[in-house]
Amino acid sequence: MDWLPFPLEFALFGATLLGVAALHHRTLTVSLVGLFCILAYKFTVAGFTHGEGVDGLADHLSHHWVELANLGLLLVGFALLARHFEQSSLPDLAPNFLPDDWRGCLALLALVFVLSAFLDNIAGALIGATIAAHVFNKKVHVGYLAAIVAASNAGGAGSVVGDTTTTMMWIAGKSPIEVLPAFIGAVGAFVVFAAPASLAQQRYSPIVKQRVGVNVDWPRLVIVALMLVSAVGANVAANVFAPHLSHELPLIGLALWAALLAGGLVRRPDWRVMREAVRGTAFLLALVLAASLMPVQALPDATAWLTLGLGFLSAVFDNIPLTALALKQGGYDWSVLAYAVGFGGSMLWFGSSAGVAVSNLFPEAKSALAWVRAAWWMPIAYVAGFAAMMVLVGWRPA
């Protein structure tokens, strides 16, 4: 396609993203059709990175199957974890410990931020969304849902166990200390988006004080804790003792599911949530696989301005292949990159795995237009956090 100023794959991927934004009730169908068109073009015309035809596709999948499997296992597994957490009845007690004005909304966002620094950001977002459904009587503003996603992404940005992209940096040999300054940008962004999101939720549906007599199902909470500890423990153990295994097996996802199935001996998971979780997971995996097929062999030379742009790009282009390219190229300030690609996806509902997971619980969030309208402050928050990093720590490329 010499008449195009860029490879046709980008046009097909862009059309897929536009279809997802416009047809938010048919997102899975659109993503699968888009992936099929890209694969058809790769098979018949362009070929794959390391070959052509079935062999080329097989080789491509051999490089990406671990990240796809991990993401799939985590998304579905954390959906079941969130249901365990909901059925434990602990969220019913949350209103009794939160202020009953906008400060309660703010406190819940802060809780999600802190949780995601120690847990995977998908888990942090789902726990926050589950609590929100109870304290706001299932009436959660789309802007507040976006803030929950943003809080989880911000909390995970400075932690090597909080986000897939920062874990990738850890596996590649970057010290957790190198990523830590991303919390400066994350806190800066949080200061900007948390207050307007909390005020919007308070106007839409304030916290409902719960009546007394709630019986907490403690075994379900033990299962939730076991699943979280297993996922985080597998991540830490693999990176400390056997980093090569993280490239060969989806260890985090397998550990999560082992704990889930073991807990099933005590409390049966609510398998009914699987249908929507699998649909949402298939949608995101189709986009991730399509993004990995784009002929982006290298990024321009690393600069602060380029990294700022990568954050905006990560809202529509999966941040996992972007991070992989940046690690291969080198020359980045890894904390700035971690903040940019980690938080940038919060600007659209399908820009991060946490956004897709929360949207599976609240289908009304699966509208790019509604998300942008309700969370108009998110791009401002992203730029503010980036500016805070530049002012306080500057650009310090490795």
Side-chain angles (χ1 to χ4, degrees), residues 112-122 151-171 174-187 231-232 235-236 239 252 323 334-343 389:
V112 172
F113 185 107
V114 173
L115 282 177
S116 298
F118 300 97
L119 312 175
D120 185 273
N121 61 341
I122 306 172
S152 70
N153 289 336
S159 167
V160 293
V161 296
D163 193 280
T164 302
T165 54
T166 52
T167 300
M168 290 170 64
M169 295 177 189
W170 192 19
I171 293 172
K174 314 305 175 188
S175 167
I177 303 299
E178 289 183 79
V179 178
L180 198 60
F183 278 127
I184 295 174
V187 171
V232 174
N235 191 2
V236 173
N239 283 286
I252 306 174
T323 304
W334 300 112
S335 63
V336 177
L337 181 69
Y339 167 74
V341 300
F343 186 81
M389 292 198 72

Side-chain angles (χ1 to χ4, degrees), residues 81-82 85 108 112 115 119 122-132 224 228:
L81 178 149
F85 182 66
L108 179 53
V112 172
L115 282 177
L119 312 175
I122 306 172
L126 284 174
I127 290 174
T130 301
I131 295 175
V224 168
L228 293 173

Side-chain angles (χ1 to χ4, degrees), residues 78-96:
F78 281 135
L80 291 164
L81 178 149
R83 184 62 175 150
H84 266 310
F85 182 66
E86 182 179 13
Q87 291 181 324
S88 74
S89 297
L90 184 64
D92 291 328
L93 295 177
N96 299 331

Side-chain angles (χ1 to χ4, degrees), residues 20 27 71 75-76 79 121-122 125-126 145 149 152-153 276-285 287-288 315 318 345-346 348-363 365-366 371:
V20 168
T27 53
L71 190 56
L75 279 170
V76 178
N121 61 341
I122 306 172
L126 284 174
L145 291 174
V149 171
S152 70
N153 289 336
E276 193 61 35
V278 169
R279 286 178 61 85
T281 300
F283 158 76
L284 184 61
L285 293 183
L287 283 190
V288 171
D318 184 67
S346 310
L348 287 173
W349 73 268
F350 55 84
S352 68
S353 51
V356 172
V358 168
S359 298
N360 288 338
L361 294 182
F362 294 88
K366 292 185 177 182
W371 191 279

